[in-house]
Amino acid sequence: MTLPVFFDRRQLLHRPVHEWTKGEKIAHPETLDRAETIVETIEADSNFFSIYQPQEIPLSLIQNVHVPGMLMLYETAQRVIAEGESFYPSVFPKRSASLVDPTDIRQAGYFCFDSGTPLTFNTWEAARLSASCAHEAALYVESAKGRVAYALCRPPGHHASHDLFGGYCYVNNAAVIAKRVRKKCRVAILDIDFHHGNGTQDIFYRDDAVLVVSVHGNPKEFYPFFSGYETEKGEGRGKGFNLNIPLPRGCDGQEYMRQMRLKVLPFIQSFDPGLLIVSAGFDTYQDDPIGAFALETGDYAELGEIIGKLNISTIILQEGGYHVQKLGLNVTTFLRGFR
Ligand code: SP5
Ligand code: ZN
């Protein structure tokens, strides 16, 4: 049986061109050719994969995660931003919630936490389709047609929290699935993107039905800087249900797998989830332009394999990964390893 892949070509229409980092305007890493190269690599391997276009996700499932104003702002962006243009929030208030007007694009910064995540005419449609891929992958696994499915989510999701977008993320795809499924069974989210999944952590910080584990570059040195520390363990009922494993610059496959086997996999196993969501970023790759780990392509086979051996129904969601030339191979190597 082939491994199902969910993707819609309209996800390519969200096109951030630049980001602002350290005061400079640089080429945006989250380009459409990331998704293109993944889908081309998958298409070339049709004995192993089948590609499906997802049905559109019910809006209510996104509304269960994100505040109305944030989604209204995305609609505003679609109304007021010309095709091909981008809007970068430049004012980020921490107060004045009662005054916020999500139909005024100039107030976009109220729902945003960084300067790398522009709104475009197509952002809202692409983000909805990205969540649709995740949703269909979950439905596939829940219908027991197979134990694993892959959603080619773009834009990514793990940095978006209930009321803030950022880190190239607008809708938290993993959270949209987990919020629905947690009513039926325990859900574990394993985030292997190079960056801490701050949005996912925030959304489930007080929740004991959703376990959140993230392995990432030490936030003292790497984005998103303000979260991802070992001391963040959850609050209230959620205390003990959040685990962060920050690792130093240069971490290679051997050390990464050691951490997985020693800390991460046993923690997930003892939680005994009915569904596992893998937030799969490939910016841990040795030559990634924004990550700083040293994983090699072969390491993704092992990583897929040890996660697959948990023997839990799993949906794998695309997050980051910016080395476009090797991205397709790294993704398919991981997925093949999982099987
Ligand atoms: C989904 C995802 O991976 N989002 C990552 C957002 C990171 N944004 C900050 C990037 C800072 C880039 N710094 C470049 C350093 C190059 N050596
Ligand atoms: Zn990342």
Side-chain angles (χ1 to χ4, degrees):
M1 206 174 63
T2 53
L3 194 153
V5 172
F6 295 92
F7 180 63
D8 187 310
R9 293 201 72 82
R10 288 171 292 170
Q11 290 168 251
L12 301 175
L13 295 173
H14 165 69
R15 294 178 184 177
V17 181
H18 299 111
E19 78 164 315
W20 295 92
T21 188
K22 297 179 188 158
E24 286 186 32
K25 195 178 183 181
I26 62 163
H28 205 289
E30 208 288 278
T31 53
L32 71 147
D33 56 341
R34 296 178 58 246
E36 265 177 340
T37 187
I38 295 172
V39 84
E40 278 165 18
T41 314
I42 283 170
E43 274 166 355
D45 200 352
S46 61
N47 289 331
F48 194 79
F49 298 104
S50 302
I51 305 180
Y52 303 97
Q53 189 178 335
Q55 299 277 315
E56 275 227 27
I57 188 172
L59 192 58
S60 60
L61 296 182
I62 297 180
Q63 290 166 329
N64 286 342
V65 171
H66 297 291
V67 296
M70 186 176 178
L71 305 179
M72 202 181 294
L73 176 73
Y74 297 159
E75 287 174 12
T76 301
Q78 197 163 42
R79 197 174 60 249
V80 307
I81 301 172
E83 270 190 271
E85 298 292 312
S86 299
F87 183 87
Y88 291 82
S90 56
V91 179
F92 302 89
K94 294 188 75 174
R95 286 176 288 275
S96 311
S98 61
L99 295 176
V100 69
D101 174 7
T103 67
D104 183 346
I105 196 74
R106 295 168 300 184
Q107 296 189 19
Y110 182 75
F111 299 101
C112 179
F113 69 87
D114 73 12
S115 56
T117 315
L119 295 170
T120 73
F121 174 80
N122 299 96
T123 299
W124 179 217
E125 183 181 37
R128 268 181 358 243
L129 289 167
S130 187
S132 302
C133 292
H135 182 53
E136 285 277 314
L139 294 182
Y140 181 94
V141 163
E142 285 165 75
S143 73
K145 285 189 204 142
R147 187 172 73 83
V148 58
Y150 168 67
L152 207 182
C153 297
R154 177 184 180 271
H158 73 148
H159 292 302
S161 71
H162 75 289
D163 62 352
L164 289 171
F165 65 96
Y168 322 153
C169 304
Y170 305 87
V171 168
N172 193 311
N173 303 309
V176 167
I177 308 313
K179 274 270 184 194
R180 178 178 62 77
V181 176
R182 70 181 287 292
K183 296 176 194 147
K184 299 196 283 183
C185 66
R186 283 187 301 281
V187 179
I189 302 176
L190 169 58
D191 191 322
I192 54 170
D193 187 276
F194 174 76
H195 304 97
H196 175 236
N198 59 298
T200 311
Q201 168 171 304
D202 283 357
I203 291 165
F204 299 109
Y205 209 57
R206 298 183 148 272
D207 194 336
D208 61 355
V210 179
L211 187 78
V212 177
V213 184
S214 182
V215 183
H216 47 261
N218 185 352
K220 190 72 200 144
E221 195 180 348
F222 301 109
Y223 185 94
F225 307 112
F226 295 98
S227 67
Y229 297 92
E230 256 169 318
T231 48
E232 297 156 17
K233 296 187 166 157
E235 270 171 16
R237 297 176 69 99
K239 200 168 177 131
F241 295 88
N242 190 83
L243 176 65
N244 284 322
I245 313 280
L247 300 173
R249 174 186 295 277
C251 175
D252 64 4
Q254 201 185 343
E255 175 59 13
Y256 194 94
M257 274 5 119
R258 204 178 72 81
Q259 296 287 335
M260 291 293 296
R261 287 199 171 92
L262 200 69
K263 299 178 185 165
V264 173
L265 301 174
F267 191 64
I268 293 172
Q269 220 150 17
S270 62
F271 182 68
D272 190 26
L275 178 71
L276 174 65
I277 301 174
V278 180
S279 269
F282 296 84
D283 35 11
T284 51
Y285 182 57
Q286 55 181 354
D287 297 325
D288 191 275
I290 73 173
F293 285 172
L295 271 67
E296 297 171 21
T297 296
D299 291 323
Y300 293 110
E302 186 179 353
L303 184 54
E305 189 185 335
I306 60 180
I307 297 170
K309 278 194 177 145
L310 288 171
N311 209 22
I312 305 165
S313 291
T314 301
I315 61 169
I316 297 165
L317 311 185
Q318 185 64 43
E319 299 282 0
Y322 307 97
H323 190 281
V324 175
Q325 208 191 322
K326 287 288 164 64
L327 182 57
L329 184 62
N330 289 342
V331 170
T332 54
T333 302
F334 177 78
L335 295 173
R336 280 181 160 275
F338 189 99
R339 270 277 180 83

